[in-house]
Amino acid sequence: MMNDPVQLNGQNFTLGQLIDIAREGRTAAVSVNSETRIKKARALVEDWVKKGTCIYGVTTGFGALSDVPISFEDTKTLQRNILVSHAAGVGNCMDDDVVRAMMALRINDFCRGNSGLRLETIKILAHVLNAGIIPVVPEKGSVGASGDLVPMAHLSLVLIGEGEAFVDGVRMPGARALAAKNIEPLELGAGEGLALINGTQFMLALGCLALYDALNLCKHADIAASMSLETLMGTRTAFDPRIHNARPHLGQMKVASDMMKITQNSEIISSHRDCSRVQDAYTLRCSPQVHGASWDAFGYVDRVIRVEMNASTENPLIFPESGEFLSGGNFHGQPLALACDFLGIAIAELANISERRIERLVNPQLSGLPAFLVKDTGLNSGFMIAQYVAASLVSENKVLAHPASVDSIPTSANKEDHVSMGAIAARKCRDIVENTEQVIAIELLCGAQAIDMFTNLKAGKGTMAAYETIRSKVPCMTKDRFLAADIAVVRKLLHSGRIVRAVEDAVGKLY
């Protein structure tokens, strides 16, 4: 239930739960079952510090300074220093949902009991999240190994009353933000500064949100393609399950099945069953193959995301069961870098094919419909410029889709001599999702306008549900008007999932 906190234990955090926290304001809590491991790991750290055991980042410096020993008296100073020195990010502030997702994912990582943090520290992070404090996190500066040091440092500064945060939309110093919610600033213990920032949760938060939006977007792409298929007088023959069973890619079979559902009982398609056209254009006929390949890519990304959401990404890792600590490289963002690059490419393809369907809809030589889907062309431009905008967004996506993960620039005096650039991959992926939502919104608008041209024939059952949902917010265009507002309204409908829900109410669950 939304009123109940998500109980985080580092084992079974789901994407749906993360979305509830990041976007719906649901709270999070450290599960009781996690507390024992957390306390046991912390006791080990404190014992090692007292004994003077050499532990990276706890009793030594960081990165290229890992060979510099730190005295017992300086261990606490070291932890503050790592936060203030690493908080060097630049660029715009990340959106609230990204920062809330970062905090939730970080808490879940800590609940695995491998970080060595005090339970008090983890609970204060949860308190900050639940109180609605949004640390100011600049978008640029992470190279994706060792983890997302820069953005995580900005986030963590607020816990000690430094840095900046938003409270109720007002930007203020971190100390004032904590005071506004009656939270005392944290005094960091040995090893806590490094443990707070040495993880992949910046790129992971972006990847999680992008994946969730991509899964929603792909269903809308299938709906938009179905609307275009009908109004361009296409055939459903290419969706016959026998075709797709002969090449049984799961995504391809899913899209073909969904498009058959969406277009069922279409009078428009039935009206030209015996026409002379032999085959439709690829953008219609091959929608299952193209959209389906993106679906399958999302499946790979989903597997990576689910593993990373419930993983320990710090260094060193504390193992309470054996009483040991081990230094390794779980902070390295390569799995996420590759996944986010792949996700961005897969989403960009949905925009590519959608823009070509938009062109077919507005071009009278290809559609047989009025030019630019409006009467009195010349006096009215109709949807002419909507296709320009779609083309611009698709072209931008092609630049953004270049993989970030193929690059690496060594850092920290060549100690960190291969980095993932996963944060860049994740940010680009987010931008591709946003661009593609706009393109699919334009196709949905054009599809609805084209349906209005068929005054004597009904669209398919699912197509009609989508059409009616769009028309509940955006009327038919009879003469030129401010088109940006219409695109924004349909994009909002799309992002909310309302169009998919209307279609599924009409035809049943889409896969």
Side-chain angles (χ1 to χ4, degrees):
M1 295 182 57
M2 280 293 294
N3 292 332
D4 297 330
V6 177
Q7 296 294 322
L8 299 176
N9 60 16
Q11 304 293 328
N12 50 22
F13 195 21
T14 68
L15 185 58
Q17 290 173 327
L18 179 67
I19 296 300
D20 287 345
I21 294 170
R23 292 180 173 169
E24 305 300 329
R26 191 173 178 184
T27 58
V30 177
S31 72
V32 175
N33 293 338
S34 298
E35 294 188 5
T36 301
R37 277 180 60 84
I38 292 168
K39 290 177 181 177
K40 192 171 180 181
R42 183 61 197 176
L44 288 168
V45 171
E46 292 179 354
D47 184 55
W48 292 326
V49 171
K50 287 177 184 177
K51 292 177 179 177
T53 306
C54 181
I55 309 173
Y56 170 71
V58 179
T59 58
T60 75
F62 308 111
L65 305 176
S66 60
D67 295 330
V68 178
I70 304 297
S71 69
F72 176 78
E73 293 76 17
D74 288 335
T75 53
K76 287 187 178 180
T77 303
L78 176 69
Q79 303 314 309
R80 177 188 176 275
N81 285 354
I82 190 174
L83 297 191
V84 295
S85 66
H86 285 55
V90 297
N92 296 327
C93 301
M94 296 308 301
D95 292 337
D96 290 4
D97 60 348
V98 177
V99 180
R100 287 182 60 83
M102 288 171 66
M103 289 190 280
L105 290 163
R106 201 73 185 115
I107 295 164
N108 191 59
D109 184 332
F110 296 151
C111 285
R112 292 179 59 83
N114 298 120
S115 70
L117 283 171
R118 291 173 295 164
L119 179 60
E120 171 194 359
T121 301
I122 302 169
K123 287 193 170 183
I124 286 179
L125 180 55
H127 195 176
V128 168
L129 169 64
N130 295 337
I133 298 172
I134 308 294
V136 171
V137 178
E139 64 179 348
K140 297 178 183 179
S142 174
V143 296
S146 303
D148 291 310
L149 294 173
V150 172
M152 297 308 301
H154 280 276
L155 186 153
S156 301
L157 271 179
V158 175
L159 302 182
I160 63 172
E162 301 194 40
E164 292 183 292
F166 290 97
V167 177
D168 300 325
V170 178
R171 186 168 178 167
M172 60 185 71
R176 187 175 149 205
L178 294 181
K181 298 296 181 178
N182 299 312
I183 301 173
E184 289 292 323
L186 186 67
E187 184 176 337
L188 295 175
E192 291 196 306
L194 179 62
L196 283 168
I197 70 173
N198 193 200
T200 62
Q201 282 71 33
F202 175 75
M203 63 184 106
L204 177 58
L206 284 165
C208 286
L209 297 174
L211 174 62
Y212 181 85
D213 291 338
L215 293 169
N216 173 59
L217 181 58
C218 205
K219 288 186 177 183
H220 284 89
D222 295 346
I223 294 167
S226 298
M227 295 178 80
S228 297
L229 175 83
E230 290 196 50
T231 54
L232 290 169
M233 308 292 276
T235 176
R236 300 168 79 213
T237 299
F239 310 140
D240 189 304
R242 290 172 293 181
I243 293 174
H244 305 285
N245 290 338
R247 192 198 193 193
H249 290 291
L250 292 178
Q252 176 179 327
M253 292 190 292
K254 172 227 139 353
V255 174
S257 175
D258 282 353
M259 291 185 70
M260 283 289 255
K261 276 186 186 177
I262 294 164
T263 57
Q264 65 183 274
N265 301 331
S266 170
E267 293 179 2
I268 299 174
I269 290 177
S270 298
S271 70
H272 59 88
R273 183 171 291 151
D274 298 321
C275 71
S276 60
R277 185 188 301 172
V278 177
Q279 293 186 128
D280 292 324
Y282 283 4
T283 51
L284 303 176
R285 184 173 18 128
C286 299
S287 291
Q289 287 80 2
V290 177
H291 292 198
S294 292
W295 267 113
D296 290 338
F298 299 163
Y300 162 74
V301 176
D302 180 64
R303 289 191 295 275
V304 173
I305 290 289
R306 280 189 281 117
V307 169
E308 195 79 1
M309 284 182 69
N310 293 285
S312 295
T313 60
E314 303 87 10
N315 180 51
L317 291 174
I318 316 301
F319 294 92
E321 296 85 357
S322 63
E324 296 176 285
F325 66 87
L326 298 173
S327 288
N330 279 6
F331 51 71
H332 202 291
Q334 195 71 9
L336 288 172
L338 291 171
C340 288
D341 277 335
F342 194 18
L343 180 59
I345 291 167
I347 298 164
E349 275 303 292
L350 297 179
N352 283 354
I353 194 169
S354 175
E355 185 277 326
R356 288 294 79 200
R357 291 191 296 258
I358 293 166
E359 164 61 15
R360 299 191 79 83
L361 286 166
V362 301
N363 186 335
Q365 297 177 353
L366 299 174
S367 69
L369 298 169
F372 307 111
L373 301 173
V374 71
K375 297 178 181 178
D376 299 324
T377 47
L379 178 63
N380 294 302
S381 296
F383 287 86
M384 176 193 295
I385 305 303
Q387 187 268 329
Y388 282 42
V389 174
S392 171
L393 294 167
V394 166
S395 183
E396 182 176 311
N397 279 353
K398 291 173 184 177
V399 175
L400 292 171
H402 177 82
S405 56
V406 299
D407 185 35
S408 176
I409 298 177
T411 57
S412 195
N414 220 42
K415 173 74 78 169
E416 298 159 5
D417 55 351
H418 181 280
V419 299
S420 73
M421 300 301 180
I424 298 172
R427 287 194 295 107
K428 293 194 302 90
C429 185
R430 171 202 58 185
D431 293 345
I432 292 170
V433 169
E434 291 176 356
N435 286 346
T436 303
E437 284 185 340
Q438 303 284 11
V439 174
I440 301 298
I442 291 170
E443 184 179 4
L444 288 165
L445 262 178
C446 291
Q449 184 76 7
I451 286 174
D452 286 322
M453 307 293 173
F454 292 86
T455 55
N456 298 319
L457 297 170
K458 283 188 177 181
K461 200 171 179 181
T463 312
M464 201 65 193
Y467 166 83
E468 289 170 351
T469 304
I470 294 166
R471 284 288 172 258
S472 71
K473 297 291 184 181
V474 180
C476 176
M477 180 189 287
T478 56
K479 59 183 180 180
D480 282 349
R481 62 172 184 250
F482 182 40
L483 196 52
D486 291 353
I487 296 169
V489 167
V490 176
R491 191 251 175 150
K492 186 175 180 181
L493 284 174
L494 182 160
H495 191 75
S496 71
R498 185 173 163 187
I499 296 172
V500 165
R501 288 194 295 273
V503 171
E504 290 185 330
D505 285 345
V507 303
K509 186 76 174 172
L510 302 179
Y511 291 115

Short mmCIF file of all heavy atoms in Angstrom, two decimals, residues 38-39 41-43 46 76 110 115-124 186-190 192 195:
data_model
loop_
_atom_site.label_atom_id
_atom_site.label_comp_id
_atom_site.label_asym_id
_atom_site.label_seq_id
_atom_site.Cartn_x
_atom_site.Cartn_y
_atom_site.Cartn_z
N ILE A 38 23.98 -4.75 9.68
CA ILE A 38 24.54 -3.40 9.66
C ILE A 38 25.36 -3.15 10.93
O ILE A 38 26.49 -2.65 10.87
CB ILE A 38 23.42 -2.35 9.51
CG1 ILE A 38 22.78 -2.44 8.12
CG2 ILE A 38 23.95 -0.94 9.76
CD1 ILE A 38 21.49 -1.66 7.97
N LYS A 39 24.78 -3.48 12.07
CA LYS A 39 25.47 -3.26 13.35
C LYS A 39 26.73 -4.12 13.47
O LYS A 39 27.77 -3.66 13.96
CB LYS A 39 24.52 -3.56 14.50
CG LYS A 39 23.39 -2.55 14.66
CD LYS A 39 22.45 -2.98 15.78
CE LYS A 39 21.30 -2.00 15.96
NZ LYS A 39 20.35 -2.45 17.01
N ALA A 41 28.62 -5.28 11.02
CA ALA A 41 29.66 -4.76 10.13
C ALA A 41 30.29 -3.51 10.72
O ALA A 41 31.51 -3.32 10.66
CB ALA A 41 29.06 -4.46 8.76
N ARG A 42 29.47 -2.66 11.33
CA ARG A 42 30.01 -1.44 11.93
C ARG A 42 30.93 -1.75 13.10
O ARG A 42 31.98 -1.11 13.27
CB ARG A 42 28.87 -0.53 12.40
CG ARG A 42 29.36 0.80 12.97
CD ARG A 42 30.12 1.58 11.91
NE ARG A 42 30.95 2.65 12.47
CZ ARG A 42 31.76 3.41 11.76
NH1 ARG A 42 31.88 3.23 10.45
NH2 ARG A 42 32.47 4.36 12.33
N ALA A 43 30.56 -2.71 13.91
CA ALA A 43 31.40 -3.10 15.05
C ALA A 43 32.78 -3.55 14.57
O ALA A 43 33.80 -3.25 15.21
CB ALA A 43 30.71 -4.19 15.86
N GLU A 46 34.87 -0.42 13.60
CA GLU A 46 35.37 0.31 14.77
C GLU A 46 36.50 -0.45 15.47
O GLU A 46 37.46 0.17 15.96
CB GLU A 46 34.21 0.60 15.71
CG GLU A 46 33.22 1.60 15.12
CD GLU A 46 32.03 1.90 16.01
OE1 GLU A 46 31.90 1.24 17.06
OE2 GLU A 46 31.23 2.79 15.65
N LYS A 76 38.14 10.96 11.48
CA LYS A 76 36.87 11.67 11.30
C LYS A 76 37.03 12.86 10.35
O LYS A 76 36.16 13.13 9.52
CB LYS A 76 36.32 12.12 12.65
CG LYS A 76 35.78 10.98 13.50
CD LYS A 76 35.09 11.49 14.76
CE LYS A 76 34.50 10.34 15.57
NZ LYS A 76 33.81 10.82 16.80
N PHE A 110 22.99 -0.01 1.37
CA PHE A 110 23.50 -0.05 2.74
C PHE A 110 22.83 -1.13 3.58
O PHE A 110 23.44 -1.68 4.51
CB PHE A 110 23.33 1.30 3.42
CG PHE A 110 24.12 2.42 2.80
CD1 PHE A 110 23.66 3.73 2.86
CD2 PHE A 110 25.33 2.18 2.16
CE1 PHE A 110 24.38 4.76 2.30
CE2 PHE A 110 26.06 3.21 1.59
CZ PHE A 110 25.58 4.51 1.65
N SER A 115 28.63 -2.16 3.95
CA SER A 115 29.27 -0.84 3.85
C SER A 115 30.07 -0.46 5.08
O SER A 115 30.99 0.35 5.00
CB SER A 115 28.20 0.23 3.61
OG SER A 115 27.40 0.40 4.77
N GLY A 116 29.70 -0.99 6.24
CA GLY A 116 30.36 -0.59 7.48
C GLY A 116 29.82 0.70 8.07
O GLY A 116 30.36 1.22 9.05
N LEU A 117 28.75 1.25 7.49
CA LEU A 117 28.13 2.46 8.04
C LEU A 117 27.42 2.16 9.35
O LEU A 117 26.92 1.05 9.57
CB LEU A 117 27.12 3.03 7.05
CG LEU A 117 27.64 3.80 5.84
CD1 LEU A 117 26.50 4.07 4.88
CD2 LEU A 117 28.29 5.10 6.27
N ARG A 118 27.30 3.18 10.19
CA ARG A 118 26.47 3.06 11.38
C ARG A 118 24.99 3.01 10.97
O ARG A 118 24.59 3.65 9.99
CB ARG A 118 26.70 4.24 12.32
CG ARG A 118 28.05 4.29 12.99
CD ARG A 118 28.21 5.59 13.76
NE ARG A 118 28.22 6.73 12.86
CZ ARG A 118 28.03 8.00 13.24
NH1 ARG A 118 27.79 8.28 14.52
NH2 ARG A 118 28.08 8.98 12.36
N LEU A 119 24.20 2.29 11.74
CA LEU A 119 22.76 2.26 11.50
C LEU A 119 22.18 3.66 11.60
O LEU A 119 21.29 4.04 10.81
CB LEU A 119 22.08 1.33 12.52
CG LEU A 119 20.56 1.20 12.41
CD1 LEU A 119 20.14 0.65 11.05
CD2 LEU A 119 20.04 0.29 13.54
N GLU A 120 22.69 4.46 12.52
CA GLU A 120 22.22 5.84 12.69
C GLU A 120 22.39 6.63 11.40
O GLU A 120 21.51 7.42 11.00
CB GLU A 120 23.02 6.49 13.82
CG GLU A 120 22.79 7.98 13.97
CD GLU A 120 23.84 8.65 14.86
OE1 GLU A 120 24.73 7.95 15.38
OE2 GLU A 120 23.76 9.88 15.03
N THR A 121 23.51 6.46 10.74
CA THR A 121 23.78 7.20 9.50
C THR A 121 22.79 6.82 8.41
O THR A 121 22.25 7.69 7.70
CB THR A 121 25.22 6.91 9.03
OG1 THR A 121 26.13 7.31 10.06
CG2 THR A 121 25.54 7.65 7.74
N ILE A 122 22.53 5.55 8.27
CA ILE A 122 21.59 5.08 7.24
C ILE A 122 20.19 5.59 7.54
O ILE A 122 19.46 6.02 6.63
CB ILE A 122 21.61 3.54 7.17
CG1 ILE A 122 23.03 3.04 6.86
CG2 ILE A 122 20.64 3.03 6.11
CD1 ILE A 122 23.22 1.55 7.03
N LYS A 123 19.81 5.59 8.81
CA LYS A 123 18.46 6.04 9.17
C LYS A 123 18.30 7.55 8.98
O LYS A 123 17.21 8.02 8.63
CB LYS A 123 18.14 5.64 10.61
CG LYS A 123 17.86 4.15 10.76
CD LYS A 123 17.24 3.81 12.10
CE LYS A 123 16.75 2.36 12.13
NZ LYS A 123 16.09 2.00 13.40
N ILE A 124 19.36 8.31 9.17
CA ILE A 124 19.27 9.75 8.91
C ILE A 124 19.09 10.00 7.41
O ILE A 124 18.32 10.88 7.00
CB ILE A 124 20.50 10.49 9.47
CG1 ILE A 124 20.40 10.56 10.99
CG2 ILE A 124 20.62 11.89 8.86
CD1 ILE A 124 21.55 11.25 11.66
N LEU A 186 24.62 15.25 10.89
CA LEU A 186 25.34 14.03 11.25
C LEU A 186 26.81 14.33 11.43
O LEU A 186 27.41 15.12 10.69
CB LEU A 186 25.15 13.02 10.12
CG LEU A 186 25.69 11.61 10.28
CD1 LEU A 186 24.93 10.86 11.36
CD2 LEU A 186 25.56 10.87 8.94
N GLU A 187 27.44 13.72 12.45
CA GLU A 187 28.89 13.74 12.58
C GLU A 187 29.41 12.40 12.11
O GLU A 187 29.11 11.36 12.70
CB GLU A 187 29.31 14.01 14.03
CG GLU A 187 30.81 14.14 14.19
CD GLU A 187 31.23 14.50 15.60
OE1 GLU A 187 30.41 15.04 16.35
OE2 GLU A 187 32.40 14.19 15.96
N LEU A 188 30.16 12.41 11.04
CA LEU A 188 30.59 11.16 10.42
C LEU A 188 31.61 10.42 11.27
O LEU A 188 32.49 11.03 11.88
CB LEU A 188 31.19 11.43 9.05
CG LEU A 188 30.24 12.00 7.98
CD1 LEU A 188 31.02 12.32 6.72
CD2 LEU A 188 29.11 11.03 7.68
N GLY A 189 31.48 9.10 11.29
CA GLY A 189 32.46 8.25 11.94
C GLY A 189 33.47 7.72 10.94
O GLY A 189 33.40 8.00 9.73
N ALA A 190 34.39 6.93 11.40
CA ALA A 190 35.46 6.39 10.56
C ALA A 190 34.89 5.62 9.38
O ALA A 190 33.99 4.79 9.54
CB ALA A 190 36.36 5.48 11.39
N GLU A 192 32.93 6.48 7.02
CA GLU A 192 31.57 6.75 6.54
C GLU A 192 31.53 7.67 5.33
O GLU A 192 30.62 7.56 4.49
CB GLU A 192 30.72 7.31 7.67
CG GLU A 192 30.43 6.28 8.76
CD GLU A 192 29.30 6.68 9.67
OE1 GLU A 192 29.36 7.79 10.24
OE2 GLU A 192 28.36 5.89 9.82
N ALA A 195 32.14 5.46 2.32
CA ALA A 195 31.02 4.53 2.13
C ALA A 195 29.79 5.24 1.57
O ALA A 195 29.03 4.66 0.78
CB ALA A 195 30.67 3.86 3.46
#
